[in-house]
Amino acid sequence: AQSVTQLDSQVPVFEEAPVELRCNYSSSVSVYLFWYVQYPNQGLQLLLKYLSGSTLVESINGFEAEFNKSQTSFHLRKPSVHISDTAEYFCAVSDRQGAQKLVFGQGTRLTINP
Amino acid sequence: GAVVSQHPSRVICKSGTSVKIECRSLDFQATTMFWYRQFPKQSLMLMATSNEGSKATYEQGVEKDKFLINHASLTLSTLTVTSAHPEDSSFYICSAPLAGKYNEQFFGPGTRLTVL
C-alpha cells in the first residue's frame, strides 16, 4: 500500500516570490508520482507527472518537481508565483503495476498575496 | 484534452432518500472509472473502481450496498447513494484514464451532496 504526506496544509507567499510545496510518499513498490491542481470551484487538473527517466519534470506554467528516490520525495517548486497560481495542490502516487488507482496527499492550499 | 463531466453539480436531499450521480467521458471511452470522496479541507479518498461490464471494486471500508456503482457503457458510470444520511454529505468526484496515456486520469468537476 502507498501513502502520501504533504507537510504543509497552507502556504502563503507574496507574488513573484519562490515557493516549494513538499510531498513525501511511502510505498513498498515502485510508483508513479503526480501533482494535481484544483482551482476554486473546479475539478482536478494534472500539473505534472513522473513516470520514468529524468527525475526533474516540468509543467507548461513554470512549475517543476524533482523525484528523489532516496528521500522518497517529490517536492513541487516554482521560482516566481503569480496570483493565478492560487489553488489547492495535491500530490499523488499510483502503483506501477496496479490498476491506475491514485493515492492522494492531504493537499496544500497555496495563497498568493499581492 | 479529454473531458469528464458529472451531473448534477450540486444536490440537496432529505435523509433516507437515494441520489444518483452520473459521470461521463465526453470525447473518449473509458472501461474503467474511479469514484472519490472529498470531505471539506481534506484530500480525495478513493471509494471504488467502476468497471464497464462487470462489478465495481470497492475500497476497504466502503459499503457496496450503500454506494451502488453501475458502469453501463464505455462513457457512463453512475454512483447511487442509497438511503442517504447527513454523514454522507460530501464532494464526490469521478475520474477516467485515457487509453494510450497510461496513468493520466481526467477528473470530473465533482458533485456536492448535502443530506438534510
Side-chain angles (χ1 to χ4, degrees), chain B residues 56-114:
Chain B
T57 306
Y58 290 82
E59 296 299 302
Q60 191 172 9
V62 177
E63 299 176 59
K64 62 181 180 181
D65 294 330
K66 180 164 187 64
F67 298 99
L68 299 179
I69 291 173
N70 182 26
H71 199 139
S73 75
L74 288 172
T75 58
L76 174 63
S77 174
T78 60
L79 169 68
T80 301
V81 183
T82 62
S83 186
H85 291 284
E87 58 266 28
D88 299 322
S89 298
S90 188
F91 196 51
Y92 293 88
I93 303 172
C94 71
S95 72
L98 181 62
K101 285 199 158 191
Y102 186 72
N103 281 341
E104 180 165 357
Q105 293 188 32
F106 293 87
F107 285 80
T111 297
R112 171 84 54 199
L113 170 63
T114 303

Side-chain angles (χ1 to χ4, degrees), chain A:
Chain A
Q2 295 90 37
S3 67
V4 178
T5 302
Q6 292 181 242
L7 298 169
D8 306 297
S9 60
Q10 296 186 64
V11 174
V13 295
F14 287 106
E15 194 172 17
E16 299 184 3
V19 70
E20 178 181 80
L21 307 184
R22 296 179 291 172
C23 172
N24 288 88
Y25 70 93
S26 171
S27 177
S28 58
V29 298
S30 296
V31 296
Y32 296 119
L33 295 155
F34 306 85
W35 275 99
Y36 283 87
V37 58
Q38 186 177 31
Y39 296 106
N41 301 314
Q42 294 187 31
L44 272 74
Q45 300 173 34
L46 179 66
L47 189 59
L48 46 76
K49 62 185 177 184
Y50 171 77
L51 302 182
S52 64
S54 173
T55 57
L56 183 65
V57 291
E58 299 177 352
S59 71
I60 58 174
N61 56 354
F63 282 94
E64 64 178 29
E66 185 161 20
F67 169 54
N68 188 318
K69 187 175 181 179
S70 62
Q71 296 185 7
T72 60
S73 67
F74 192 55
H75 301 331
L76 181 70
R77 301 184 183 94
K78 188 171 185 179
S80 177
V81 296
H82 301 285
I83 292 286
S84 59
D85 293 324
T86 296
E88 188 89 19
Y89 291 80
F90 293 95
C91 182
V93 303
S94 72
D95 183 346
R96 284 176 175 263
Q97 301 170 347
Q100 304 169 308
K101 295 192 295 185
L102 288 169
V103 175
F104 285 88
Q106 300 90 328
T108 298
R109 182 169 297 278
L110 177 62
T111 305
I112 313 299
N113 299 306

Side-chain angles (χ1 to χ4, degrees), chain B residues 4-48:
Chain B
V4 175
S5 69
Q6 282 185 241
H7 178 81
S9 59
R10 185 183 298 266
V11 58
I12 301 173
C13 69
K14 293 182 179 179
S15 184
T17 60
S18 294
V19 174
K20 180 185 286 189
I21 302 170
E22 294 184 346
C23 176
R24 293 181 185 273
S25 56
L26 295 186
D27 47 3
F28 67 103
Q29 295 181 334
T31 57
T32 300
M33 291 183 177
F34 299 94
W35 286 97
Y36 296 85
R37 185 172 179 176
Q38 185 181 27
F39 289 106
K41 298 185 179 181
Q42 295 189 29
S43 188
L44 284 78
M45 298 296 294
L46 179 65
M47 299 175 64

